[in-house]
């Protein structure tokens, strides 16, 4: 994990340098701020993963008239670097492949981004333009805005540019953009180079599908073991993180460490212990208390840059565990299971979809917003503690496979959610873990639901009189509970809502694809408004029975 930053259009001031340093936690091993072109400054905070020390993986990477800073990992960098006609400064970095690919593709930015196999957010400049790009799902974050002088600021997190800008925007996943240095204050026009496949056109047999799911996920994990720092797992005891741990353990020469977190009575801690014992890997458990969860919330809101209750609840344990790992171990890279629930439609409300077609639409919608939910939580919870998170389920090849499978493979009557994934990995985990039903990360902290604990605390903290005046204090997206009120209060004490409140997407689980437009939240001026599925009984698309054995839906 690294942090990148840029200002285009003026010289750097002390105030701007201070803002750049707000994300130093993302890269505590090296800090660089260089003027690579007149009035084009690129900043970089490095977390050393591939080679400890400052060389040869420092940034900016320079060559062929180009300079680039990147937060990410490019897994196919070696093939992209072949036959590069230039010697690059800091060319040992995997991110040097951005320059070599750009040259190979005749400076076609869309083709360059499409050629990169990995996760990334980059800022690149030559004498005429600045180029920016972000990975297909938005695993690595990127934000931008303009100051009162019309200069463009770009950064890995909101907090490093917010006070400098009049308004902050996120740069969309799967997009790239070219900004002319002759007119850097013109609005950025993102160009989409990737979108999650929307047509379920891979009608394969169950057996063939299981083989492909297994093979591609194994390769996805293997490529993410690049680097020579110690690896660890965020092991919740659930299916997804356990599978990733099982696969990775087969490839790593040095035994990785599994880390788990929960209350003293957590059922997940026992499940995680079984997985660690089965894989014969060390297992460290962080036992936390409800009071620790309450006390850490202001830090969590600042780190996650959101007031959405779901992200914050899940982020509390994640944040505390990463803090513990950073302080108590030499592990720097963590593998996690995020993305599987969205791809396979395994959340409880998704499994209650009216039919498989609606589930497919909801999967596409959830993937579109993933960078504002689980991916956001993963990135911010780890990066502020100098750790890097890698998420194999969000590999581009794996997404392209699973999103195109028949929706009926993800909504099987009388079958456990993610049945296809579970059955593809028979023998890789203990049966009691492989076939254990899903529990939410926050809810599984203990026998007492964290949501109940927080609700009780907030009912005492926020007086009835204060709560009754909530619409006056928060007229936009007025809190519906005292818990939401508290998060919103902390958020607005930390950030300027008018500048960046619109970036926060809330309550994604209440805007399902089968809801009517008037039932939806976040619907006005949002991508959801274009994705509402109007299904009438006589127009309902039917998924036809295929000779491969896929089930039909009436």
């Amino acid at each position: 994990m690294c942090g990148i930053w840029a200002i285009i259009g003026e010289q750097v001031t002390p105030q701007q340098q201070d803002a750049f340093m707000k994300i130093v936690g993302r890269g505590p091993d090296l800090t660089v701020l260089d003027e690579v072109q007149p009035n084009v400054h690129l900043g970089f905070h490095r977390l050393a993963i591939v080679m400890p020390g400052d060389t040869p993986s420092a940034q900016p990477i320079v060559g062929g008239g180009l300079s680039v800073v990147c937060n990410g990992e490019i897994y196919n960098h070696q093939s992209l670097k072949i036959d590069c006609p230039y010697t690059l400064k800091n060319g040992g970095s995997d991110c040097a492949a951005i320059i070599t690919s750009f040259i190979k593709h005749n400076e076609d930015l869309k083709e360059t981004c499409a050629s990169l196999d990995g996760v990334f957010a980059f800022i690149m400049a030559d004498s005429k333009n600045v180029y920016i790009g972000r990975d297909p799902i938005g695993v690595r974050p990127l934000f931008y805005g303009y100051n009162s002088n019309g200069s463009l600021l770009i950064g890995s997190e909101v907090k490093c540019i917010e006070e400098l800008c009049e308004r902050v925007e996120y740069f969309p996943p799967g997009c790239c953009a070219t900004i002319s240095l002759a007119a850097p204050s013109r609005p950025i026009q993102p160009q989409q180079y990737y979108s999650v496949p929307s047509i379920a056109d891979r009608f394969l047999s169950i057996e063939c599908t299981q083989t492909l799911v297994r093979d591609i996920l194994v390769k996805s994990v293997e490529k993410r073991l690049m680097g020579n720092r110690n690896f660890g797992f965020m092991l919740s005891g659930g299916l997804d993180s356990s599978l990733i741990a099982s696969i990775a353990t087969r490839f790593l020469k040095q035994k990785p460490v599994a880390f788990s977190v929960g209350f003293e009575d957590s059922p997940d801690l026992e499940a995680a212990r079984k997985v660690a014992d089965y894989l014969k890997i060390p297992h460290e458990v962080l036992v936390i208390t409800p009071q620790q969860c309450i006390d850490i919330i202001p830090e969590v809101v600042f780190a996650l840059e959101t007031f959405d209750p779901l992200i914050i609840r899940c982020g509390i344990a994640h944040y505390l565990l990463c803090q513990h790992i950073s302080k108590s171990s030499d592990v720097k890279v963590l593998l996690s299971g995020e993305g599987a629930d969205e791809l396979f439609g395994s959340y409880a409300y998704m499994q209650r979809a009216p039919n498989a077609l609606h589930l497919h639409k909801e999967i596409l919608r959830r993937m579109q917003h993933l960078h504002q939910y689980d991916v956001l939580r993963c990135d911010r919870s780890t990066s502020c503690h100098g750790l890097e998170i890698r998420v194999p389920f969000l590999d581009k090849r794996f997404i392209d496979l699973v999103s195109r499978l028949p929706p009926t493979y993800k909504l099987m009557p009388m079958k456990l959610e993610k049945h296809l994934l579970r059955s593809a990995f028979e023998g890789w985990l203990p049966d009691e873990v492989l076939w254990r039903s899903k529990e939410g990360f926050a809810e599984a902290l203990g026998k007492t639901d964290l949501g109940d604990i927080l609700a009780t605390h907030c009912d005492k903290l926020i007086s009835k009189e204060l709560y009754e005046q909530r619409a006056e204090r928060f007229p936009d997206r007025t809190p519906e509970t005292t818990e939401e009120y508290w998060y919103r209060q902390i958020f607005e004490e930390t950030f300027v809502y008018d500048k960046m409140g619109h970036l926060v997407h809330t309550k994604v689980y209440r805007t399902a694809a089968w809801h009517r437009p008037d039932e939806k939240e976040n619907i006005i001026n949002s991508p959801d408004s274009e994705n509402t599925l109007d299904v009438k009984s006589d127009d309902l698309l039917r998924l036809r029975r295929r000779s491969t054995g896929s089930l039909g839906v009436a």
Side-chain angles (χ1 to χ4, degrees), residues 514-547:
W514 51 87
H515 289 163
R516 297 191 310 271
D518 60 352
E519 293 177 319
K520 288 175 176 277
E521 298 184 34
N522 304 304
I523 196 73
I524 299 173
N525 297 323
S526 83
D528 287 343
S529 61
E530 300 173 4
N531 290 329
T532 303
L533 184 65
D534 181 17
V535 178
K536 301 176 183 177
S537 59
D538 56 340
D539 293 332
L540 192 66
L541 298 177
R542 296 173 182 269
L543 300 168
R544 297 183 182 276
R545 185 181 300 274
R546 301 277 171 160
S547 58

Side-chain angles (χ1 to χ4, degrees), residues 240-260:
D240 307 330
S241 63
S242 299
L243 265 184
I244 298 303
S246 177
I247 297 168
T249 300
R250 299 190 178 204
F251 292 103
L252 289 168
K253 294 179 181 178
Q254 183 174 345
K255 279 195 173 184
V257 182
F259 297 94
S260 302

Side-chain angles (χ1 to χ4, degrees), residues 15-225:
Q15 181 193 17
Q16 292 163 349
Q17 288 181 337
D18 290 344
F20 168 50
M21 293 305 295
K22 287 185 177 181
I23 56 168
V24 69
R26 297 184 69 91
D29 297 324
L30 175 71
T31 292
V32 178
L33 183 56
D34 282 352
E35 186 173 18
V36 298
Q37 297 289 343
N39 286 333
V40 177
H41 296 80
L42 299 183
F44 178 66
H45 296 296
R46 182 186 178 219
L47 175 64
I49 298 295
V50 174
M51 181 179 294
D54 295 344
T55 56
S57 296
Q59 297 187 28
I61 302 157
V62 181
L66 295 156
S67 302
V68 67
V69 289
C70 177
N71 169 28
E73 302 86 47
I74 310 300
Y75 303 120
N76 62 336
H77 67 102
Q78 291 180 334
S79 62
L80 292 174
K81 289 178 180 178
I82 295 172
D83 298 328
C84 177
Y86 302 102
T87 299
L88 305 183
K89 176 185 174 183
N90 298 323
S93 168
D94 54 288
C95 295
I98 297 167
I99 289 180
T100 59
S101 180
F102 189 66
I103 294 168
K104 281 185 177 183
H105 289 94
N106 298 313
E107 301 187 357
D108 186 318
L109 188 59
K110 289 178 69 174
E111 289 293 326
T112 298
C113 289
S115 74
L116 303 175
D117 181 12
V119 293
F120 55 86
F122 69 79
I123 312 164
M124 183 167 63
D126 59 20
S127 61
K128 296 180 180 179
N129 301 305
V130 170
Y131 310 92
I132 54 181
R134 191 175 178 194
D135 66 72
I137 302 299
V139 174
R140 295 292 178 256
L142 198 63
F143 298 89
Y144 70 94
Y146 298 88
N147 66 13
S148 57
N149 299 327
S151 296
L152 173 64
L153 290 116
I154 310 170
S156 291
E157 297 182 19
V158 170
K159 60 180 67 71
C160 70
I161 65 171
E162 183 221 19
E163 68 178 32
L164 309 175
C165 297
E166 296 186 324
R167 181 180 171 90
V168 180
E169 305 289 350
Y170 67 74
F171 190 77
C175 290
C176 56
T178 301
I179 301 108
S180 171
L181 291 178
S185 60
R186 286 182 182 171
I188 288 178
Q189 301 293 328
Q191 290 186 298
Q192 190 172 31
Y193 70 87
Y194 177 88
S195 61
V196 176
S198 60
I199 301 174
D201 58 357
R202 298 206 69 174
F203 292 97
L204 307 169
S205 69
I206 288 288
E207 292 76 16
C208 180
T209 301
Q210 289 167 333
T211 299
L212 283 172
V213 164
R214 182 172 55 252
D215 289 351
I216 294 176
L217 184 58
V218 167
K219 289 174 183 175
S220 172
V221 173
E222 184 181 13
K223 74 174 72 167
R224 281 164 175 76
L225 301 179

